[in-house]
Amino acid sequence: MTSPLRLGIAGIGTVGVGVIRIVQRHADLLAARCGRPIQITAVSARDRSRDRGVRLGEYAWEDDAVALARRDDVDVFVELIGGDDGPAKAAVEAAIAAGKDVVTANKALLAHHGQALAEAAEGAGGVLRFEAAVAGGIPCIKVLTESLAGNEITRVMGVMNGTCNYILTRMESAGLTYDAVFQEASDLGYLEADPTLDVGGIDAGHKLALLASIAFGTKVDFGAVKLEGIERISIDDINRAADMGFRVKLLGVAQMTGRGLEARMQPCLVPAASPLGQLEGPMNMVVLEGDSVGQIVLRGAGAGEGPTASAVMSDVVEIARGQRLPTFGQPASGLATPRPAEANTPAPYYLRMVLKDRPGALAKIAACLGAEGISIDRMRQYDHAEGSAPVLIVTHKAMRSGLDAAIAAMAGTDVLESEPVALRIEDV
Amino acid sequence: MTSPLRLGIAGIGTVGVGVIRIVQRHADLLAARCGRPIQITAVSARDRSRDRGVRLGEYAWEDDAVALARRDDVDVFVELIGGDDGPAKAAVEAAIAAGKDVVTANKALLAHHGQALAEAAEGAGGVLRFEAAVAGGIPCIKVLTESLAGNEITRVMGVMNGTCNYILTRMESAGLTYDAVFQEASDLGYLEADPTLDVGGIDAGHKLALLASIAFGTKVDFGAVKLEGIERISIDDINRAADMGFRVKLLGVAQMTGRGLEARMQPCLVPAASPLGQLEGPMNMVVLEGDSVGQIVLRGAGAGEGPTASAVMSDVVEIARGQRLPTFGQPASGLATPRPAEANTPAPYYLRMVLKDRPGALAKIAACLGAEGISIDRMRQYDHAEGSAPVLIVTHKAMRSGLDAAIAAMAGTDVLESEPVALRIEDV
Ligand SMILES: NC(=O)c1ccc[n+]([C@@H]2O[C@H](COP(=O)([O-])OP(=O)(O)OC[C@H]3O[C@@H](n4cnc5c(N)ncnc54)[C@H](OP(=O)(O)O)[C@@H]3O)[C@@H](O)[C@H]2O)c1
Ligand SMILES: NC(=O)c1ccc[n+]([C@@H]2O[C@H](COP(=O)([O-])OP(=O)(O)OC[C@H]3O[C@@H](n4cnc5c(N)ncnc54)[C@H](OP(=O)(O)O)[C@@H]3O)[C@@H](O)[C@H]2O)c1
């Protein structure tokens, strides 16, 4: 098998340019490692005239990604357009139908259509790989699918949106408000065109859904991921958490419980001294737990041209070397339909609220918690200002549903100045 | 390819029992993930009568590992005996000659004979895999060989001997001497039968030699790894380092420089706030740096039944799925002969010594450094006791050879109470 592996690359933006640079720069290295050359034969983007800072003249050009996907001189279709529908989906489907292998960095596409696409690819004898779609340069798909294949996976966790981690750690280090750092992130180009994808936890939720599928042998079910964004996290929450030895992280957790598959992407408190707690700036971290291996922690850049292109090339090299794995580690047709857990496992919660400065206010709040069977571990009033009283409560282990009921009841007491912020304290 | 993959396991100690437990416990999971069952057909150890806490009755028994390696009903020979020669080597050679695939956890064997064994395996059309040999449960071999295959690797680093990391972090946290913690580690069963393998850096050096081979496409050259153990690290060094924001780690570093391949396993100072600095207890960490991916950090258990068996199973699953990689990521016959760098890249050094309490003593030491062109960043005398004066010096960037010459010259001045301790300050 020394014939070249021929790539057709659709999308020549940040990631596409990165992949082309690697193929051009490391032709010899790749040939030595794969036992055959890697070639690009054709590319596609919207605007042919744009200077992308990379040599394209030697490649055929297609305006239409679907046409690229069907070319006879393409063995592997590399989809780097993005979007959960539209041209990316059409082109991937066309490539699969034409018997091509497919490599993509598109988490949105796979979170929504991964099951159908994987079944189609496997039915056609093709492979569909997506290392770059989850946590960028961190090789979590390969590690979970291959290195940990001898383990029953007990839990997967991850900080998988670098922008959110940048915002949260920058708020703490610079003492800035959420809005100020959000603006900074925007100026730095860290935010997606629709920033809700980042700060609303959607992008990271897509990634968690994909990891959960491999970990538990279940069909991708993005709808079952409980999503909560970081928009309501204040500098106050970050400082209070730090006082208690915690950091606030947008953390994804998936675990199989007796009550079904629990998957949530939400801001949490994690111990400041844990690897997750220590993760600074726009980095990503994936934590994989298996019954034999224990805990494996992977840390690296979750985005950017080089790291993401490195992950795309990992899939390309896999195909060039003749490795042919099912998309989610076992045949897609055999994946179980997950039963989403109705309730999350109990955990201690951090609860911050501002009360009206009235006698008995705190007692009313405590009663609301008590009525749901939630006991209080610590409670503290701080920064007592004219007319209002910020309060911090840490509960003992509680069900989120009970906590939500208690918070709803608090609203009826007329002692709240604003809606409480509730953050799960995660045992990492 | 739905026929079972048949394993013959030689060595039923810590790791062997772990592998047998996984195969027995996760038969269904493994079959689903591999597309075929994994079976054990035969086993071998020295003492057939020993109760190993695991069911063995269903497997054929061989007293002789070589006979096991040649059995017709064995597809993959799993070598878990250990040792760089003797029965492990004989059996692996026999397995290769008989056309079997081989999985081993034996770093000593591969560090000494990896090149010859890989060439033999590849010549015979077999594969020889060794994920468990480096950093136990951490999937660093797969990540380096596969996930980072699109990168020129610029540096690999690792804390890869959990016992040494336990000793060094325990000295700091408990304020105990090296000897006291060495005894503790011995009582906990953390030490090899020959503890020099651990504390002398040899075991970790074996692992570094294997990583370097994959990283740089060079023949395994254990002899070129500069080894230094942790035996001379005192609680004083650990405390002084901590005062300056550093931790002492037995750190392996391999990098390709203009002057050749630099590979060293030695106690170093690393920033306390870095991932390597934060690694506590008997854990391992491997840091891989590539030109596209940047820095990838992998953390996990480097030893123990479960983690090591998990890594062995990663290789078994790879073979069961039909993945067939060359041992060091490219054909062994094409690996370059590394040119070991004569000198290490310059770095700042930490230097601790005890001087006789005489006028001009410090000036003499400074003159020795100055004569080698080594300038001093910080110098401090502390804990001034009757007749002797402990001194701490941090140099600017210096060559180790120059530093060694300066230290030799110091010995001639007759102001030293004892030989100085010199630790490289590593830029991680
Ligand atoms: N950027 C990252 O760090 C990162 C990290 C992980 C995963 N990803 C994923 O990688 C994918 C690509 O991301 P990116 O950041 O590289 O995006 P990008 O910079 O916006 O590039 C998108 C590319 O797709 C092209 N394109 C758009 N519509 C097209 C169509 N109909 N036919 C052909 N080409 C079309 C664009 O063409 P024009 O240039 O002509 O407009 C552009 O070259 C996305 O799925 C993203 O989620 C990105
Ligand atoms: N333990 C770890 O955490 C770890 C981690 C990474 C890598 N490794 C590597 O894994 C390998 C095995 O380590 P281990 O800790 O499992 O060793 P172990 O507990 O000492 O077990 C060694 C086994 O080999 C058997 N054996 C010795 N000589 C033999 C012979 N001539 N023929 C057949 N069997 C023979 C022994 O038989 P008896 O039981 O009958 O004496 C024993 O079952 C070593 O290469 C080690 O470096 C170990």
Side-chain angles (χ1 to χ4, degrees):
Chain A
M1 195 171 54
T2 50
S3 59
L5 184 78
R6 298 164 305 170
L7 311 182
I9 300 182
I12 324 179
T14 305
V15 185
V17 165
V19 170
I20 293 171
R21 288 214 170 99
I22 292 180
V23 173
Q24 293 182 349
R25 187 168 65 228
H26 289 323
D28 293 348
L29 205 60
L30 289 166
R33 288 176 180 166
C34 299
R36 59 196 289 205
I38 307 281
Q39 279 179 3
I40 297 168
T41 44
V43 296
S44 172
R46 276 178 303 208
D47 179 357
R48 185 167 190 173
S49 66
R50 227 175 97 195
D51 177 10
R52 299 164 194 275
V54 72
R55 283 192 335 267
L56 295 175
E58 60 217 85
Y59 313 135
W61 178 276
E62 295 279 0
D63 287 314
D64 177 11
V66 170
L68 179 77
R70 292 188 178 133
R71 285 177 66 100
D72 284 341
D73 59 1
V74 165
D75 302 312
V76 181
F77 178 67
V78 183
E79 187 277 300
L80 303 171
I81 298 170
D84 64 13
D85 223 315
K89 177 160 176 272
V92 167
E93 286 170 344
I96 290 170
K100 315 292 187 190
D101 294 328
V102 175
V103 171
T104 178
N106 192 334
K107 51 258 176 178
L109 176 68
L110 289 181
H112 290 286
H113 308 291
Q115 180 64 29
L117 293 173
E119 285 188 31
E122 289 161 28
V127 300
L128 168 61
R129 307 301 299 147
F130 62 99
E131 182 67 81
V134 182
I138 299 180
C140 55
I141 299 300
K142 185 173 280 285
V143 168
L144 185 59
T145 312
E146 303 179 38
S147 303
L148 269 49
N151 289 261
E152 183 182 339
I153 303 300
T154 48
R155 185 165 66 156
V156 300
M157 298 190 286
V159 169
M160 296 185 287
N161 184 282
T163 306
C164 288
N165 203 56
Y166 170 81
I167 292 176
L168 294 170
T169 54
R170 172 87 178 141
M171 283 169 72
E172 178 168 1
S173 62
L176 292 170
T177 64
Y178 175 82
D179 290 335
V181 181
F182 180 91
Q183 189 55 51
E184 265 189 17
S186 174
D187 296 343
L188 285 166
Y190 282 0
L191 285 162
E192 301 255 4
D194 172 7
T196 316
L197 288 173
D198 290 311
V199 297
I202 298 167
D203 166 81
H206 289 152
K207 297 169 186 170
L208 185 67
L210 296 173
L211 283 179
S213 172
I214 302 171
F216 306 113
T218 51
K219 296 193 164 97
V220 181
D221 187 0
F222 172 61
V225 180
K226 285 176 195 146
L227 293 181
E228 214 180 300
I230 63 166
E231 304 95 330
R232 291 188 61 224
I233 303 298
S234 73
I235 177 76
D236 232 32
D237 293 317
I238 287 176
N239 291 335
R240 297 302 143 205
D243 289 348
M244 297 188 298
F246 291 100
R247 288 257 165 78
V248 181
K249 296 285 163 194
L250 177 65
L251 182 70
V253 180
Q255 61 196 121
M256 191 59 82
T257 72
R259 301 175 319 283
L261 174 63
E262 193 174 322
R264 52 197 142 81
M265 179 57 68
Q266 61 187 185
C268 289
L269 265 55
V270 300
S274 64
L276 282 164
Q278 288 163 346
L279 191 72
E280 302 277 343
M283 299 300 283
N284 278 201
M285 183 172 280
V286 176
V287 179
L288 305 171
E289 294 176 351
D291 61 347
S292 289
V293 80
Q295 189 183 70
I296 295 285
V297 178
L298 312 172
R299 179 188 192 278
E305 177 188 315
T308 312
S310 167
V312 170
M313 288 310 297
S314 160
D315 288 338
V316 168
V317 168
E318 191 175 300
I319 293 169
R321 282 171 164 164
Q323 300 181 1
R324 301 190 70 74
L325 283 177
T327 302
F328 298 107
Q330 44 185 294
S333 56
L335 294 172
T337 301
R339 183 165 59 90
E342 273 169 37
N344 290 340
T345 43
Y349 279 86
Y350 159 106
L351 212 55
R352 185 180 58 83
M353 63 193 82
V354 181
L355 299 185
K356 294 175 184 161
D357 196 4
R358 294 195 188 148
L362 215 47
K364 283 192 182 167
I365 295 302
C368 292
L369 290 168
E372 295 294 334
I374 299 171
S375 62
I376 293 174
D377 179 19
R378 284 185 268 178
M379 171 149 68
R380 201 153 76 81
Q381 224 166 309
Y382 63 94
D383 289 346
H384 200 107
E386 191 62 47
S388 75
V391 169
L392 177 66
I393 294 173
V394 174
T395 72
H396 284 291
K397 276 196 180 178
M399 300 293 287
R400 177 77 203 212
S401 50
L403 191 70
D404 286 341
I407 290 173
M410 289 173 197
T413 61
D414 192 37
V415 301
L416 286 182
E417 280 271 330
S418 63
E419 210 198 328
V421 170
L423 300 174
R424 185 182 169 99
I425 301 180
E426 194 69 53
D427 179 21
V428 299
Chain B
M1 195 171 56
T2 50
S3 59
L5 185 78
R6 298 165 305 171
L7 312 182
I9 300 181
I12 324 179
T14 305
V15 184
V17 165
V19 171
I20 294 171
R21 287 216 169 98
I22 292 180
V23 173
Q24 292 183 350
R25 187 169 65 228
H26 289 323
D28 292 349
L29 205 59
L30 288 166
R33 289 176 180 165
C34 300
R36 58 196 291 205
I38 307 280
Q39 279 178 5
I40 297 168
T41 44
V43 297
S44 172
R46 275 178 302 209
D47 179 357
R48 184 167 190 172
S49 67
R50 225 175 98 196
D51 177 9
R52 298 165 195 275
V54 71
R55 283 193 332 268
L56 296 175
E58 60 216 84
Y59 314 134
W61 178 274
E62 296 279 359
D63 287 312
D64 177 10
V66 170
L68 179 77
R70 292 188 177 134
R71 284 177 69 100
D72 285 339
D73 60 1
V74 166
D75 301 311
V76 181
F77 177 68
V78 183
E79 187 276 300
L80 303 171
I81 298 170
D84 63 15
D85 223 315
K89 178 159 175 274
V92 167
E93 286 170 343
I96 290 170
K100 314 292 187 188
D101 294 329
V102 174
V103 171
T104 177
N106 191 335
K107 50 257 175 182
L109 177 68
L110 288 180
H112 290 284
H113 308 291
Q115 180 66 28
L117 293 173
E119 285 188 32
E122 289 162 28
V127 300
L128 167 62
R129 307 300 300 146
F130 61 99
E131 182 66 82
V134 182
I138 298 181
C140 55
I141 299 301
K142 186 174 277 287
V143 168
L144 185 59
T145 314
E146 303 181 37
S147 303
L148 269 48
N151 289 261
E152 184 182 338
I153 301 301
T154 48
R155 187 167 64 158
V156 301
M157 297 190 287
V159 169
M160 298 186 288
N161 184 283
T163 305
C164 289
N165 202 56
Y166 170 81
I167 292 176
L168 293 171
T169 55
R170 173 86 178 144
M171 283 170 73
E172 178 168 1
S173 63
L176 291 171
T177 64
Y178 175 82
D179 290 335
V181 180
F182 181 90
Q183 190 54 51
E184 265 189 18
S186 174
D187 295 344
L188 284 165
Y190 281 180
L191 286 163
E192 302 257 2
D194 172 6
T196 316
L197 288 174
D198 290 311
V199 299
I202 299 166
D203 166 80
H206 288 153
K207 298 170 186 170
L208 185 68
L210 297 173
L211 283 178
S213 171
I214 303 171
F216 306 113
T218 50
K219 297 194 164 97
V220 181
D221 187 1
F222 172 61
V225 179
K226 285 176 194 146
L227 292 181
E228 213 181 299
I230 63 168
E231 303 96 331
R232 292 189 59 226
I233 304 296
S234 74
I235 177 76
D236 232 29
D237 294 315
I238 287 175
N239 291 335
R240 297 302 146 206
D243 289 348
M244 298 189 296
F246 291 100
R247 289 256 165 79
V248 182
K249 296 285 163 194
L250 177 65
L251 183 70
V253 180
Q255 61 194 119
M256 190 58 81
T257 72
R259 302 176 318 283
L261 174 63
E262 192 175 321
R264 51 197 141 80
M265 178 58 67
Q266 60 188 186
C268 290
L269 263 55
V270 301
S274 64
L276 282 164
Q278 288 163 346
L279 191 72
E280 302 277 344
M283 300 298 284
N284 278 202
M285 182 172 283
V286 176
V287 179
L288 305 172
E289 294 176 350
D291 61 347
S292 288
V293 80
Q295 190 183 70
I296 294 285
V297 179
L298 311 172
R299 179 189 191 278
E305 176 188 317
T308 312
S310 167
V312 170
M313 289 308 298
S314 162
D315 288 337
V316 168
V317 168
E318 192 176 297
I319 293 169
R321 281 171 165 165
Q323 301 181 1
R324 300 190 70 76
L325 283 177
T327 302
F328 299 107
Q330 44 185 294
S333 56
L335 294 172
T337 301
R339 182 164 60 90
E342 273 170 36
N344 290 339
T345 45
Y349 279 85
Y350 159 106
L351 211 56
R352 185 178 59 81
M353 62 193 80
V354 182
L355 299 186
K356 294 177 182 159
D357 196 5
R358 293 195 187 147
L362 213 48
K364 284 193 182 165
I365 295 302
C368 292
L369 290 168
E372 294 295 334
I374 299 171
S375 61
I376 293 174
D377 180 19
R378 285 184 267 178
M379 170 148 72
R380 202 154 77 78
Q381 224 166 310
Y382 62 94
D383 290 348
H384 200 106
E386 192 62 49
S388 76
V391 169
L392 177 66
I393 294 174
V394 175
T395 73
H396 284 291
K397 277 195 180 180
M399 299 295 286
R400 178 75 204 214
S401 50
L403 191 71
D404 286 341
I407 290 172
M410 289 174 198
T413 61
D414 191 38
V415 300
L416 286 181
E417 280 272 328
S418 63
E419 210 199 327
V421 170
L423 300 173
R424 185 182 168 97
I425 302 182
E426 194 69 53
D427 179 21
V428 301

